[in-house]
Amino acid sequence: MSTTVSQIDQVKTTPWAGGREPFSVEYGKMMMWFFLLSDAFTFSSLLIAYGALRFSADAWPSAELVFQSVPGMIDHGAPLVFVGIMTFILIMSSVTMVLAVEAGHRNSKKEVAWWMVATVIGGFMFLGCQALEWSHLHHEGFWWGSIPKELDHFFKEAGTASPTYTQQFANLFFTITGFHGFHVFSGVIINIVILINVLAGTYQRRGHYLMVEKVGLYWHFVDLVWVFVFTFFYLV
């Protein structure tokens, strides 16, 4: 009995041991939640800044006027179609990540690998779509520090926004979507690293796929943030 007690005391006092208290959560997963919470504060501050400018302005650029193209196919007349495709791709990549985590719970190495591949492909597809959208907007003259004269003239005629508000919209759009895109890119790289470990049998030898679950938390967070970015910029 005394031996058992001393072993428990040793576990509790060992640096980094963590134990099972107070939330019964594995240490690494807890740290991931802390990171995501801090990252949520960053995105929240950016979106709050956007909202403060958006709702204090007398007029603001209409998303239906700015985002009405499908790059390479339709220049005008398809409002929010392309971003809808982007959103669908990212949501589906979140579904494949859920399936990868579920397969990990069953220790199915092959299924985890396939679903991770699908998740990586979805991430690259989203980044490719975002690159196309940015390239098209830049080609039209809509960029940091500059707005197309034709677009500004159209806004003036429509009475929807002034040049100042249009420029603020552009700056915030590229800053926030770029910051989110960086998170997606980082997530894709991390997913590739995890996929390599899956194929190498690292987690199979450990007897669990906890790392896949941790990365899954990050990927779901990135998807959730996109829902807010999509709402603020494309819908409101």
Side-chain angles (χ1 to χ4, degrees):
M1 181 66 180
S2 59
T3 302
T4 303
V5 172
S6 62
Q7 289 176 345
I8 294 175
D9 291 338
Q10 184 178 3
V11 169
K12 287 185 176 180
T13 56
T14 300
W16 307 103
R20 304 294 296 177
E21 298 177 358
F23 304 114
S24 296
V25 178
E26 190 267 342
Y27 177 79
K29 191 184 294 186
M30 177 69 77
M31 293 302 102
M32 176 60 77
W33 277 113
F34 284 155
F35 167 74
L36 296 181
L37 181 62
S38 65
D39 215 20
F41 289 145
T42 304
F43 274 105
S44 297
S45 63
L46 291 171
L47 292 175
I48 288 172
Y50 172 82
L53 289 172
R54 166 70 178 83
F55 293 107
S56 65
D58 298 330
W60 195 255
S62 172
E64 293 184 357
L65 299 179
V66 179
F67 310 107
Q68 56 173 321
S69 65
V70 178
M73 297 178 63
I74 304 172
D75 287 334
H76 303 285
L80 307 184
V81 172
F82 191 64
V83 70
I85 296 173
M86 293 172 58
T87 303
F88 176 78
I89 291 172
L90 198 59
I91 290 175
M92 289 306 299
S93 73
S94 190
V95 172
T96 57
M97 178 59 80
V98 168
L99 294 173
V101 173
E102 189 276 331
H105 289 161
R106 294 185 283 105
N107 286 320
S108 177
K109 174 184 173 181
K110 185 177 180 180
E111 289 186 48
V112 173
W114 277 114
W115 290 124
M116 289 295 295
V117 168
T119 303
V120 169
I121 292 174
F124 275 126
M125 289 177 65
F126 177 85
L127 291 171
C129 288
Q130 189 172 52
L132 285 174
E133 182 184 48
W134 276 34
S135 177
H136 176 79
L137 292 173
H138 182 262
H139 179 73
E140 294 292 324
F142 193 76
W143 198 241
W144 275 293
S146 64
I147 54 176
K149 293 181 179 179
E150 298 81 2
L151 185 60
D152 182 45
H153 178 68
F154 181 78
F155 281 139
K156 286 181 179 178
E157 288 185 349
T160 57
S162 68
T164 301
Y165 292 142
T166 305
Q167 188 58 71
Q168 289 176 349
F169 175 84
N171 292 340
L172 285 166
F173 171 78
F174 288 112
T175 298
I176 295 177
T177 58
F179 189 52
H180 175 266
F182 171 75
H183 279 71
V184 176
F185 177 77
S186 300
V188 169
I189 298 301
I190 296 171
N191 282 337
I192 291 174
V193 173
I194 297 300
L195 173 60
I196 292 173
N197 285 332
V198 170
L199 295 174
T202 301
Y203 309 126
Q204 193 78 13
R205 289 190 294 271
R206 292 181 184 177
H208 61 78
Y209 285 81
L210 186 59
M211 281 301 299
V212 176
E213 187 172 352
K214 293 176 186 177
V215 173
L217 290 174
Y218 176 82
W219 194 253
H220 297 321
F221 170 78
V222 169
D223 289 1
L224 179 62
V225 168
W226 177 252
V227 172
F228 285 96
V229 173
F230 174 79
T231 302
F232 272 66
F233 279 101
Y234 298 92
L235 296 182
V236 176

